[in-house]
Amino acid sequence: MSKVVKFGGSSLASAEQFKKVGDIIRADEERRYVVPSAPGKRTKNDTKVTDMLYACYDLTEEDKDFSKELKAIKARYQEIIDGLGLSLSLEKEFQTIEKNFKDKAGSNYAASRGEYLNGIIMAEYLGYEFIDAATVICFDEEGEFDAERTNKVLSKRLAKCDRAVVPGFYGALPDGTVKTFSRGGSDVTGSIVAKAAKADVYENWTDVSGFLVADPRIIKKPKGIETITYRELRELSYMGASVLHEDAIFPVRQEGIPINIRNTNAPDDNGTWIVGSTCQKSKYVITGIAGKKGFCAVNIEKDMMNSEIGFGRKVLQAFEENGISFEHVPSGIDTMTVFVHQDEFMHKEQKVVAGIHRLCNPDSIDIEADLALIAVVGRGMKSTRGTAGRIFSALAHSKINVKMIDQGSSELNIIIGVANADFEDAIKAIYDIFVETSI
Ligand code: ASP
C-alpha cells in the first residue's frame, strides 16, 4: 500500500504547521510520497510566499533593487528551519536564486522556488529523499504538460526510492526551463505523483475538512460531503465550488485512485472522499449545491423555428464568431435561449445580435442581464422521485422566480436560472428543503 500526501500552503505556513504535518505523515507508514506547497498565510492578513516571490521578481524585471524583498522570503524559511530545530542552511540556494533573478530567469522560475525550498526543508525534516520536480514533471516545447513522458520518467524515478518529497506546482520544459502550473497547481502535482506511484489513495491535506454541501458564505455551517464522485465534483467545481484545482482530478481519475480531502488542523476528521463510482448513497439525495452570478440570457424568437434545419447551429455560430462560449441553451418550439457570461458578452453584444440577424433572420431578439445559475448536483437524483418537484416548490415558497431549468440527460444535476438578486435566497431554500428538512 502507498499513499501520496499533498499539503497545501496553510498546512506548511510555519514551523508549528510543519510539525502537525510531520505527525500526520509519521502516523501512517503508507504515507510514502509527499508533495508540499509553498508556505501560505500564517494569519488572515499575511502574504503567501508564492505572492512574495512574484512581487520580488517583478522588481528584478524593472531592474529595481529586490534585496529587501528576497530577505523577507529568506526569513520566512529561516523561521521554519529554526522552529523545527534543523541545522539546514539555505544560504547557497538563495545565492543561486539571487543570481538567477538577476539573470531574469522568468516569473515561473521565481514562483516555483516557493515549493522547491519548502520541499528541501520537508525532506530534511522527514528524512525522505528530495526529488526536484524539474527533473520529473515534464512540459513540452509549447509549454503544455506532457502526461505521458512525465508518467514514464516519474514512475521510473519513484520505483527507485521508498520515500520521497516532490515539490508541487512546477516542472520543466525539455530544455530545462522551469514551468509552473496555474495557481493552486500543487494539487495537480499530487495527482500526477499518485498516478506514477500507482498509489492506493491520494490524500490532499488542506485547512478545511473536505467539501461542503453549500458555500459557507451563504449557508451558516453547512454540512460536509462524505463521498462525491469525480463527475459530481466536476459539476460543482465548474459552478464555483473550490477546494481542489480543477485539473487535479484527471490523472488519478484515469487510474481509479480515490482522492481524500483532509484537514491538517483536524486530522481525525474523515474529510471528503472523491471516487470514480460508489454504491454509497449521499445522505441528502443531493450531494451539493453551487452557483455563479453574472450571466446574460439571449432569447431568440422565430416562427416555425422548430422546422428550420440548422437554426441552432447558425445562432451558435454568431457567438462562436465573436469568441464567446455558451453555458446553456434551453429551447422552446419557436424560441431558443443562449446563456453566456455577462462580462464576456457585454462588449460584444451588438456584434453578436447583428450576427444572429445576418445568419438566421429571427423575428426578435431580447437580452436579459444579471442572472445567476445554480447547479443542484447529486448522483442520488436518478433513483429518487420528486427531486425537481421539491426544488421548485421550495423556490416558489420563497417567492423566487425561476427563469430557466435545465436537467442534463445524466440526471446528475439540475441547473436553475434565477435573478442575481435571488441567488443567495434560492440556495438557502434548496439547502433547507434537502438538508435541514430531509427525512
Ligand atoms: N504555491 C502555489 C500557489 O500559491 C501553488 C499551490 O499552492 O498549489 O498558487
Side-chain angles (χ1 to χ4, degrees), residues 359-391:
L359 291 159
C360 30
N361 194 22
D363 295 336
S364 68
I365 299 175
D366 164 57
I367 300 172
E368 193 171 355
D370 301 323
L371 298 175
L373 291 177
I374 297 169
V376 185
V377 176
R379 59 190 181 278
M381 296 200 302
K382 206 169 180 167
S383 51
T384 316
R385 263 175 295 142
T387 312
R390 284 173 82 186
I391 295 173

Side-chain angles (χ1 to χ4, degrees), residues 6 9 37-38 48 50 115 169 183-187:
K6 180 260 168 182
S37 278
K48 290 179 173 190
T50 308
E115 273 63 17
F169 193 35
R183 294 299 303 265
S186 299
D187 283 343

Side-chain angles (χ1 to χ4, degrees), residues 78-131:
Q78 199 55 50
E79 189 187 292
I80 296 172
I81 291 172
D82 294 344
L84 296 176
L86 300 175
S87 57
L88 177 73
S89 165
L90 293 179
E91 200 52 51
K92 269 220 173 84
E93 296 291 350
F94 271 96
Q95 278 168 15
T96 310
I97 291 171
E98 189 176 349
K99 183 184 170 300
N100 288 339
F101 273 32
K102 282 185 179 150
D103 293 345
K104 310 245 183 331
S107 64
N108 275 242
Y109 166 80
S112 75
R113 297 305 87 184
E115 273 63 17
Y116 172 80
L117 295 169
N118 232 17
I120 292 178
I121 300 178
M122 178 65 89
E124 175 82 10
Y125 180 52
L126 296 172
Y128 281 24
E129 191 171 330
F130 173 76
I131 300 177

Side-chain angles (χ1 to χ4, degrees), residues 203-255:
E203 289 181 348
N204 187 296
W205 292 79
T206 175
D207 52 8
V208 289
S209 295
F211 290 99
L212 299 169
V213 173
D215 188 335
R217 287 166 299 186
I218 299 172
I219 306 291
K220 233 193 236 157
K221 293 212 165 127
K223 297 274 195 267
I225 300 175
E226 283 171 20
T227 309
I228 186 169
T229 63
Y230 292 126
R231 287 175 63 210
E232 287 175 308
L233 180 62
R234 270 289 284 157
E235 306 276 352
L236 287 175
S237 337
Y238 185 71
M239 275 303 203
S242 69
V243 168
L244 194 69
H245 191 294
E246 259 198 311
D247 297 342
I249 294 174
F250 302 109
V252 283
R253 182 180 184 169
Q254 286 162 0
E255 303 299 309

